[in-house]
Amino acid sequence: MRVRFAPSPSGHLHVGNARTALFNWLAARGTGGTLILRIEDTDVQRSTRESEAAIVRDLRWLGLDWDEGPDVGGSRGPYRQSERLHLYESYATELLSAGHAYRCFCSSAQLDADRQAALAEGRDARYPGTCRRLSIEQAAGRIAAGERPATRFRVPEHRDVVFEDVVRGAVRFQTDAIGDPVIVRADGHPAYNFAVVVDDALMEVTHVVRGEDHISNTPRQILLYEALGFTPPAFAHLALVLGPDHSPLSKRHGATSVAEFRSKGYLPEALVNYLALIGWSPGGPGGNEELLPIDELARRFSLDRVGLSAGVFDEEKLAWVNRHYLKMADPHRIAELSVPYFKEAGVELSPDARGVEFLASAMAMAISSVDRLDQVPARLALLFEYSPEATLGDAQVREEMRAEAARAVVRALAEELARAPRLDRERFRAAADAVRARTGHKGKALFHPIRVALTGRREGPELDLAIPAVDLGAELPRDAGVPPILGCRERAAAFVRALDQSG
Ligand code: GLU
């Protein structure tokens, strides 16, 4: 099996196209086939190298790779259409001399006028065939006189084009409904329908797996295969990914590009796993296994089990998948990936190995309760932001903490911690036990004031996780690239002072 992903480098990688790339990858990797990356950059107005680089970066970020492509080479290259113009030219010449194509001198103004007239009369707006009947001599004369024609493919009349789509079954088109398509524009650049056929044929693509927005192009392409004497590949048209209103997922639904989902804090393995589940199911023993690594997805994948409808892009489900992968991931990796989000939240981090080690250990209190990386800084904010004055600035907290029982707990805590070494989980439990013994308060009456005094917050991660993290952070050398963290002993003392000053 030889498949290809053929993006046009005129923007970001849309998640729908990423899914097409993924399905090609799964098909190739699951069968020991070959995946080709081909850059379809013949639209010179819209194509940029920046976009190509961004698409390649996003594909690689997703964990996809390819066997042939502009950046990895291969024996059927070049893999950028802009470097294959000579090939299109030679096949266009072949079609012209066989009478399968003809020169078209219609100006765009003329074509517009024809289209308007057709629409006004309720006719089909396809090309009316104005230049179809020009003789080769007439065309040559006009070219000699300086006109620059486009080249059009002569679509055979009164025929059915039928193909067996791997996903959709038999698909039938009548050629009389198809206007003669331009295959080479007047500026010498090939049109998509032509370049794609020449490339898929020369690159020996066996299966064209692409979005169903291309399905109406397929009969034109099949006719071009025939005219060029090539055997058409198998086609698999994937239903488009939809937004919540069931129209194709687009900007007005929110994030659409892989880059946006990356910056929102989704992990690549989560996005890949989720995209694979849109319109396909990996099956498995219970029939509904969903959370599987990409290699296992590839092992189970088969194009003929891809569903007819793709369904709605469901960000809540993506978040669910992401939570799974966040929990599975190495916390050191999560720590490093979180750094930009801390910066966005105003916490300047450039941790060295010790800083990363610390953040990784602190991740335990974040990972179980976040959907995305961008939510990590808020869960760890108690490390870097601590101000008893600010905490007691809240009337409700002030009232709670000035109650006699709470004051007693906080005072006893400060005294215990003044003598205690830095707290790990056991020492924290021992300190809490000592405070309980001294004050007689337990349960919420014990732990709520402790939480407020040591974290500055009424709610947050488990104290068993938060307290050791605070004291581990307090021990970090200043040059570890992590902002200073006030330890529990200092927090408790400061809290008592602030409480006393609050009246
Ligand atoms: N360049 C086309 C696109 O991005 C590729 C279509 C195809 O796979 O044939 O939509």
Side-chain angles (χ1 to χ4, degrees):
M1 174 183 268
R2 286 177 60 83
V3 292
R4 86 300 194 275
F5 176 57
S8 303
S10 56
H12 284 296
L13 181 62
H14 185 282
V15 285
N17 289 335
R19 172 172 167 270
T20 301
L22 173 62
F23 280 25
N24 275 288
W25 187 94
L26 293 171
R29 294 295 172 257
T31 58
T34 299
L35 176 60
I36 301 162
L37 176 68
R38 182 173 70 230
I39 301 296
E40 303 211 322
D41 59 351
T42 53
D43 183 340
V44 269
Q45 266 10 287
R46 299 177 58 216
S47 303
T48 64
R49 278 297 172 98
E50 291 73 39
S51 163
E52 177 187 324
I55 290 170
V56 165
R57 180 200 63 200
D58 291 346
L59 291 169
R60 295 231 180 265
W61 176 76
L62 286 169
L64 305 185
D65 58 356
W66 40 94
D67 311 290
E68 298 174 25
D71 53 342
V72 295
S75 58
R76 313 283 199 302
Y79 295 94
R80 272 187 205 99
Q81 288 188 328
S82 58
E83 294 163 13
R84 301 172 63 81
L85 299 181
H86 58 288
L87 295 167
Y88 311 129
E89 197 183 299
S90 99
Y91 283 100
T93 306
E94 190 180 310
L95 289 177
L96 279 164
S97 42
H100 289 308
Y102 59 91
R103 304 293 201 181
C104 172
F105 297 87
C106 296
S107 65
S108 50
Q110 174 69 50
L111 294 170
D112 272 350
D114 289 347
R115 202 174 302 124
Q116 296 307 333
L119 291 174
E121 290 165 28
R123 283 184 288 119
D124 233 318
R126 63 174 182 271
Y127 179 64
T130 320
C131 295
R132 229 179 195 242
R133 281 162 294 276
L134 286 180
S135 69
I136 298 197
E137 294 73 28
Q138 284 170 312
R142 291 175 70 168
I143 293 169
E147 283 190 69
R148 292 180 64 199
T151 304
R152 280 189 194 268
F153 177 58
R154 195 186 298 276
V155 172
E157 288 167 89
H158 317 314
R159 269 196 49 196
D160 274 348
V161 180
V162 185
F163 64 95
E164 192 64 27
D165 191 284
V166 180
V167 174
R168 308 164 64 93
V171 180
R172 178 182 300 267
F173 285 90
Q174 232 289 314
T175 58
D176 293 342
I178 304 174
D180 292 346
V182 169
I183 56 172
V184 181
R185 299 190 195 95
D187 67 4
H189 279 95
Y192 158 72
N193 274 312
F194 181 53
V196 79
V197 168
V198 171
D199 291 347
D200 284 339
L202 297 185
M203 294 179 184
E204 295 174 45
V205 167
T206 60
H207 295 69
V208 166
V209 181
R210 63 183 168 202
E212 72 176 354
D213 47 336
H214 285 290
I215 201 156
S216 62
N217 288 319
T218 307
R220 294 171 178 76
Q221 293 173 16
I222 289 176
L223 293 167
L224 279 162
Y225 276 99
E226 281 178 15
L228 289 164
F230 294 134
T231 311
F235 292 94
H237 287 94
L238 308 174
L240 300 185
V241 177
L242 306 177
D245 62 355
H246 290 254
S247 68
L249 183 70
S250 73
K251 280 270 160 251
R252 63 202 164 77
H253 299 116
T256 55
S257 70
V258 168
E260 285 170 293
F261 285 99
R262 175 179 52 224
S263 64
K264 283 180 91 169
Y266 290 103
L267 295 177
E269 60 269 41
L271 188 53
V272 153
N273 194 157
Y274 175 66
L275 289 176
L277 302 177
I278 304 182
W280 176 69
S281 158
N288 58 355
E289 274 190 295
E290 294 197 301
L291 299 171
L292 295 167
I294 190 167
D295 293 326
E296 181 59 21
L297 294 171
R299 217 179 53 72
R300 299 189 188 193
F301 188 77
S302 94
L303 278 172
D304 52 17
R305 288 205 299 106
V306 171
L308 263 181
S309 69
V312 169
F313 190 93
D314 177 356
E315 201 170 336
E316 278 187 29
K317 180 152 182 188
L318 171 60
W320 171 73
V321 176
N322 204 49
R323 281 200 295 279
H324 167 77
Y325 284 101
L326 281 169
K327 284 178 198 140
M328 304 249 298
D330 177 351
H332 295 81
R333 173 174 164 233
I334 302 302
E336 305 211 52
L337 290 176
S338 299
V339 169
Y341 300 96
F342 278 103
K343 291 191 172 157
E344 246 167 63
V347 180
E348 270 312 313
L349 284 179
S350 33
D352 67 5
R354 295 162 303 177
V356 169
E357 193 61 43
F358 162 69
L359 290 169
S361 75
M363 279 306 151
M365 68 171 155
I367 286 314
S368 57
S369 58
V370 297
D371 289 344
R372 301 186 306 264
L373 293 169
D374 64 344
Q375 297 163 343
V376 166
R379 295 295 290 180
L380 296 193
L382 65 91
L383 296 173
F384 306 109
E385 290 161 16
Y386 177 79
S387 159
E389 292 77 15
T391 302
L392 290 167
D394 181 299
Q396 189 192 353
V397 181
R398 196 164 56 239
E399 198 182 319
E400 272 171 11
M401 297 306 288
R402 283 188 350 199
E404 205 34 64
R407 269 181 191 245
V409 166
V410 173
R411 280 220 180 81
L413 177 71
E415 283 166 25
E416 282 303 319
L417 296 192
R419 318 194 268 276
R422 293 289 177 205
L423 301 177
D424 57 15
R425 185 189 295 234
E426 281 63 44
R427 284 199 284 269
F428 169 57
R429 288 191 179 161
D433 282 345
V435 173
R436 179 197 300 121
R438 287 175 57 168
T439 62
H441 297 303
K442 56 182 199 285
K444 191 159 186 270
L446 175 69
F447 285 105
H448 186 69
I450 293 182
R451 172 182 293 283
V452 174
L454 295 186
T455 70
R457 288 155 171 78
R458 304 181 71 245
E459 275 157 11
E462 270 177 65
L463 289 178
D464 272 357
L465 298 174
I467 300 308
V470 168
D471 267 3
L472 199 59
E475 297 280 82
L476 262 187
R478 291 302 298 268
D479 59 353
V482 172
I485 295 171
L486 196 65
C488 289
R489 179 188 309 134
E490 294 77 10
R491 290 182 180 206
F495 201 90
V496 168
R497 272 197 307 278
L499 194 57
D500 289 346
Q501 274 158 22
S502 77

